[in-house]
Amino acid sequence: MNTELNVSQSLTWRYAARRFSDKKVSQTALEQLLTMTGLSASSYGLQPYKIIVIENPKIKESLLAHSYEQKKVAANSHLLVLAADMSNVVTMVSSYMQSLAKTTGITALQQQAMRENMLASLANMDPEQQFQWASAQVNIALGTLLVSAASLGIDSCPIGGIDGRGYDEVLALPERNLRTVITVPIGYRHEDDVSANATKVRKALHELIVEI
Amino acid sequence: MNTELNVSQSLTWRYAARRFSDKKVSQTALEQLLTMTGLSASSYGLQPYKIIVIENPKIKESLLAHSYEQKKVAANSHLLVLAADMSNVVTMVSSYMQSLAKTTGITALQQQAMRENMLASLANMDPEQQFQWASAQVNIALGTLLVSAASLGIDSCPIGGIDGRGYDEVLALPERNLRTVITVPIGYRHEDDVSANATKVRKALHELIVEI
């Protein structure tokens, strides 16, 4: 852990990789990355998403047609697909409350109050609203994932421009009550990736903030 | 910078603060936090959002009515409001292309190709689609902001359960072509904040991931 870059260094080091080398991310590093991502903040702590981890080259290749043929979707160490949890929210809340009860000394009365509070705000979402809500949590996790990967020296490239429905079909996600939000190939930058040395283009602070 | 926590440490240290102390975040630390957040990944690098920085207690208090009276919206060092940029996408792209041209040695021909590529995917969004697209970028930035704050020893609490339209009105955001997505009070945890020592409840890795 001592070799991790700090947050500033990680944010400066990272970029959207265009081309990955053949080097594989080790199982240890992958688990570290996913564990860090799992520490992301989420609405009520519910983490309404799953991360699909794809190593199989044939599956990656069958996703190319749904990714505007962007080669990096197939040529990477692992392809991660971040998917919204579309399962029943009441079940989701119950499962969370069980974990919470196991982990903390929360009383039955407190549990009931929390459950009611959560369900009051979440139970009436229609599927599209649930997808938007879960997608927001996915994107917070994505922010965490990108900086976490960089801190471990792992390159990544978030790709929002995909046909999510095509991904769902190839990966049989509806059977698991999941729906694709975004995909992120990870690996190590190819030595010929010209983007690696490009200067970052970012808004100046005065363009980014409004002081009121 | 040497005192920054690394990414793992930051993710473990952070939690959703319930109550802040009276200690202020210094201007230097605030700028460091906002600069780090500005390094977030975003769709085509467009950063379609602004961060509203509020110190004025009266303005914070007038937001309570649109925040289910959650005291931490008023009692904090600074209240940050992350807002989607609802301005014209063509203008947004042109402004980005100007920065890109200044920063890098990109040719006019490359610029034209990039502009066309960006506009092909973005120019036809209706306002609601633009809000969803920009909100996704806001949430990636939020993930970056939370870990960045923690790395600087700054506490935070993302609050999605607010009346965004009420915020827009109080802050006169429509005049600036902005629309509220989420608010994040920042500061330092109060010594009586019981949440500070609560055990994190998170999905186990096997619940978070699907290996295909």
Side-chain angles (χ1 to χ4, degrees), chain A residues 21-97:
Chain A
S21 75
D22 292 336
K23 189 176 163 196
K24 294 287 290 180
V25 174
S26 71
Q27 192 60 23
T28 309
L30 179 67
E31 283 180 16
Q32 219 173 335
L33 171 60
L34 297 169
T35 302
M36 289 165 82
T37 305
L39 289 170
S40 291
S42 65
S43 174
Y44 298 103
L46 288 171
Q47 301 178 275
Y49 46 78
K50 299 258 187 193
I51 301 175
I52 325 293
V53 181
I54 308 169
E55 255 194 291
N56 185 319
K58 282 190 188 160
I59 299 179
K60 290 179 191 173
E61 272 157 33
S62 60
L63 291 169
L64 280 171
H66 307 290
S67 317
Y68 297 93
E69 301 294 337
Q70 294 180 75
K71 283 184 189 153
K72 59 196 167 194
V73 165
N76 53 60
S77 171
H78 295 75
L79 185 68
L80 307 179
V81 176
L82 279 59
D85 186 348
M86 298 299 290
S87 64
N88 187 295
V89 170
V90 177
T91 314
M92 220 185 269
V93 168
S94 296
S95 156
Y96 173 79
M97 293 307 303

Side-chain angles (χ1 to χ4, degrees), chain A residues 18, chain B residues 44-45 93 96-97 100 104 106-120:
Chain A
R18 299 255 171 138
Chain B
Y44 298 103
V93 168
Y96 173 79
M97 293 307 302
L100 187 73
T104 65
I106 190 171
T107 66
L109 205 67
Q110 287 171 316
Q111 280 182 54
Q112 198 190 328
M114 279 187 71
R115 182 196 303 272
E116 280 169 15
N117 182 31
M118 286 157 88
L119 290 177

